[in-house]
């Protein structure tokens, strides 16, 4: 069995939270090159915005201690690069002091898939920045659940049986498996709330194979304080009974609105971009997604092809800019700003705390800034 792992972390931004420094990429690639042929079959370093991704193939299985320890060590090295250069937020996603067992709960995100490699194995690695794992819900639903997006669901007998969606509740740490298309309405009830319910895996019923997997974690819930959005990654296998490459890319022609962008606290559309444009700028956004395509062969990563480097996504990018113009004019108002319950996982509680003592019961008197009621309006005066 072959495992494809994407393990990612923000270990320091250049400049601000906009990009990974080239030196961090060099250092990480050197570490991967040193591990190739030993721990790893193959590996590449990539990025989206300020997040560094290690894309690796190996035979050690899911959440393997040696592979996760290796990634942790690479992130410590890139944190050193960040510290030396005074990059922004050095070591931002490394929430723990020391590595123990695997990366669960330690800050870095990961999506891993264990497969029996097919004679031709086309896979897509999606990397996002300035958003959260629930951002994959809508595109995954379209790829594997919506025949208007994926004609293969209707035309290809191997897809006709449908797919199982494994959904995680990030608040309660629970999961459920929903059998689609039969349970599509139940699925949509939950995944329509992407800040809490996140599709973790999609499994083909006829092939009995995992077709897609995402990184699911909430940094703010782990750290107990705001440490940035958990910029997500996702692996999608394609073709021969799974969505065709074009069916897996098609959902991104509609730039759906996700949570993220400035201070992780705003709704903004997700822009599909080539790697050269994967650097959020305006309003620390708009949130970006890149897609790296590979043909795996004996675990080797043939690629990447930069899948969104294509004029067919120009309209999506134009739409993003138009929607950004519209949303930005709301300033600090919802629905551009996230709703209150979401803001509770950011730095908002610290601001609210300062004013906590000044909230008082409402009555008919006119309040003053000193708290003394110099002007009193009784019910009779008002009459
Ligand atoms: C969003 C993000 C940025 C920062 C913003 C403020 O996920 O990382 O938008 O939240 O640049 O950063 P600080 O608080 O570090 O000055
Ligand atoms: Mg950052
Ligand atoms: Mg980021």
């Amino acid at each position: 069995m072959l495992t494809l792992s994407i393990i990612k972390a923000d270990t320091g931004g250049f400049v601000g939270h906009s990009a990974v420094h080239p030196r961090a990429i060099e250092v990480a690639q050197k570490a991967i090159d040193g591990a190739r042929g030993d721990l790893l079959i193959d590996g590449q370093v990539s990025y989206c915005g300020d997040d560094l991704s290690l894309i690796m193939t190996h035979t050690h299985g899911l959440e393997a201690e040696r592979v996760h320890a290796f990634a942790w060590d690479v992130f410590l090295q890139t944190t050193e690069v960040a510290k030396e250069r005074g990059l922004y937020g050095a070591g931002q996603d490394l929430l723990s002091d020391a590595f123990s067992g695997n990366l669960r709960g330690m800050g870095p995100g990961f999506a891993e898939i264990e497969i029996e490699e097919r004679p031709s194995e086309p896979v897509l690695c999606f990397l996002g920045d300035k958003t959260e794992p629930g951002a994959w819900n809508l595109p995954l639903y379209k790829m594997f659940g919506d025949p208007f997006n994926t004609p293969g669901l209707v035309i290809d007998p191997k897809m006709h049986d449908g797919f199982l969606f494994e959904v995680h509740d990030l608040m309660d740490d629970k999961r459920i498996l929903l059998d689609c298309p039969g349970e599509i309405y139940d699925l949509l009830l939950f995944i329509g709330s992407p800040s809490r319910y996140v599709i973790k895996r999609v499994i083909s019923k006829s092939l009995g194979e995992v077709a897609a997997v995402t990184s699911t974690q909430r940094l703010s819930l782990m750290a107990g304080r705001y440490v940035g959005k958990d910029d997500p990654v996702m692996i999608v296998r394609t073709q021969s009974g799974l969505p065709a490459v074009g069916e897996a890319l098609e959902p991104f022609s509609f730039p759906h609105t996700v949570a993220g962008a400035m201070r992780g606290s705003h709704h903004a559309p997700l822009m599909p971009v080539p790697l050269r444009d994967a650097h959020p700028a305006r309003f620390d956004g708009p949130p970006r997604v890149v897609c790296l395509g590979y043909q795996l062969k004996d675990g080797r990563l043939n690629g990447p092809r930069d899948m969104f480097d294509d004029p067919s996504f120009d309209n999506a990018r134009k739409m993003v800019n138009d929607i950004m113009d519209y949303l930005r004019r709301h300033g600090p108002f919802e629905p551009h700003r996230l709703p209150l319950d979401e803001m509770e996982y950011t730095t908002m509680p610290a601001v609210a705390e300062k004013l906590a003592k000044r909230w008082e019961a409402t009555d008919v008197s006119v309040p003053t800034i000193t708290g003394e009621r110099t002007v009193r309006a009784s019910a009779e005066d008002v009459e």
Side-chain angles (χ1 to χ4, degrees):
M1 293 283 267
L2 176 76
T3 305
L4 170 62
S5 299
I6 309 179
I7 305 183
K8 49 108 348 207
D10 174 350
T11 58
F14 171 63
V15 171
H17 292 281
S18 66
V20 176
H21 193 281
R23 180 67 190 148
I25 295 173
E26 265 172 44
V27 164
Q29 188 63 58
K30 197 162 163 237
I32 292 233
D33 292 344
R36 193 183 289 112
D38 174 21
L39 178 68
L40 307 176
I41 300 174
D42 203 356
Q44 293 184 4
V45 180
S46 199
Y47 59 86
C48 186
D50 55 3
D51 289 271
L52 184 76
S53 279
L54 312 178
I55 302 175
M56 302 173 285
T57 52
H58 54 90
T59 53
H60 307 289
L62 306 178
E63 299 192 21
E65 175 161 0
R66 283 181 66 202
V67 176
H68 281 210
F70 169 75
W72 181 259
D73 185 61
V74 174
F75 295 142
L76 290 179
Q77 292 180 45
T78 55
T79 298
E80 277 313 305
V81 170
K83 284 184 181 159
E84 281 160 18
R85 284 163 178 73
L87 302 183
Y88 197 68
Q92 175 184 293
D93 285 356
L94 308 189
L95 303 181
S96 180
D97 291 335
F99 179 80
S100 64
N102 64 47
L103 290 172
R104 255 176 206 249
M106 297 186 69
F110 53 91
E112 300 184 298
I113 194 165
E114 204 175 19
I115 59 173
E116 204 69 72
E117 193 188 87
R118 298 172 289 171
S120 178
E121 186 65 62
V123 294
L124 301 176
C125 296
F126 293 88
L127 317 177
D129 187 39
K130 303 292 179 276
T131 183
E132 58 187 13
W136 305 134
N137 283 4
L138 187 148
L140 279 175
Y141 169 72
K142 284 191 168 177
M143 285 177 218
F144 292 96
D146 178 5
F148 279 69
N149 179 88
T150 302
L153 293 167
V154 180
I155 297 172
D156 183 345
K158 292 200 277 303
M159 297 180 80
H160 224 85
D161 288 346
F163 291 87
L164 301 171
F165 287 75
E166 177 186 327
V167 176
H168 286 202
D169 176 344
L170 298 188
M171 301 284 182
D172 254 1
D173 207 13
K174 289 188 301 203
R175 70 178 186 185
I176 189 170
L177 198 62
L178 293 166
D179 186 346
C180 295
E183 294 185 307
I184 267 179
Y185 299 157
D186 303 288
L187 174 74
L188 287 170
L189 178 71
F190 293 103
I191 65 168
S193 293
S195 61
R196 175 162 182 174
Y197 298 100
V198 174
I199 300 171
K200 173 70 186 173
R201 280 188 195 85
V202 183
I203 302 157
S204 158
K205 284 166 68 182
S206 61
L207 305 181
E209 299 262 350
V210 177
V213 63
T214 68
S215 59
T216 44
Q217 88 269 42
R218 276 193 71 153
L219 279 182
S220 53
L221 297 183
M222 281 180 216
R225 69 195 147 85
Y226 185 66
V227 283
K229 278 266 179 263
D230 347 297
D231 303 317
V233 292
M234 164 167 80
I235 300 170
V236 179
R237 298 171 74 193
T238 62
Q239 306 287 157
S240 305
L242 302 174
V245 167
E247 289 167 336
L249 298 179
E250 178 65 11
F252 297 93
S253 64
F254 165 62
H256 66 297
T257 296
V258 298
M262 180 56 72
R263 297 177 188 277
S265 304
H266 293 82
H267 285 126
L270 183 63
M271 186 185 252
V273 287
L275 274 171
R276 66 176 172 279
D277 292 332
H279 306 299
R282 180 186 184 185
F283 203 57
D284 284 2
R288 307 286 156 122
V289 53
V290 297
C291 176
L292 307 178
Y294 295 96
Q295 288 288 157
L296 300 184
K297 186 60 187 169
D298 299 329
R300 281 195 330 275
L301 292 162
N302 291 292
R305 278 214 65 236
D306 192 351
M307 305 306 286
F308 291 137
D309 189 3
D310 189 272
S312 61
F313 290 95
D314 284 351
N315 282 359
R317 296 187 268 263
K318 162 88 170 63
M319 217 186 299
V320 167
N321 286 330
D322 291 342
I323 297 167
M324 278 301 281
D325 285 343
Y326 169 79
L327 282 173
R328 282 303 303 124
R329 289 179 68 182
H330 291 77
F333 283 78
E334 298 175 11
H336 184 26
R337 205 203 66 184
L338 295 190
L340 258 194
D341 58 338
E342 274 292 289
M343 297 297 290
E344 277 159 16
Y345 299 98
T346 69
T347 43
M348 184 178 175
V351 178
E353 178 63 26
K354 276 200 312 192
L355 298 175
K357 288 209 176 73
R358 286 173 48 191
W359 287 93
E360 57 180 9
T362 54
D363 64 23
V364 291
S365 63
V366 178
T368 65
I369 194 78
T370 59
E372 287 166 35
R373 308 280 176 85
T374 48
V375 184
R376 283 208 169 266
S378 70
E380 283 163 13
D381 294 342
V382 173
E383 291 276 317

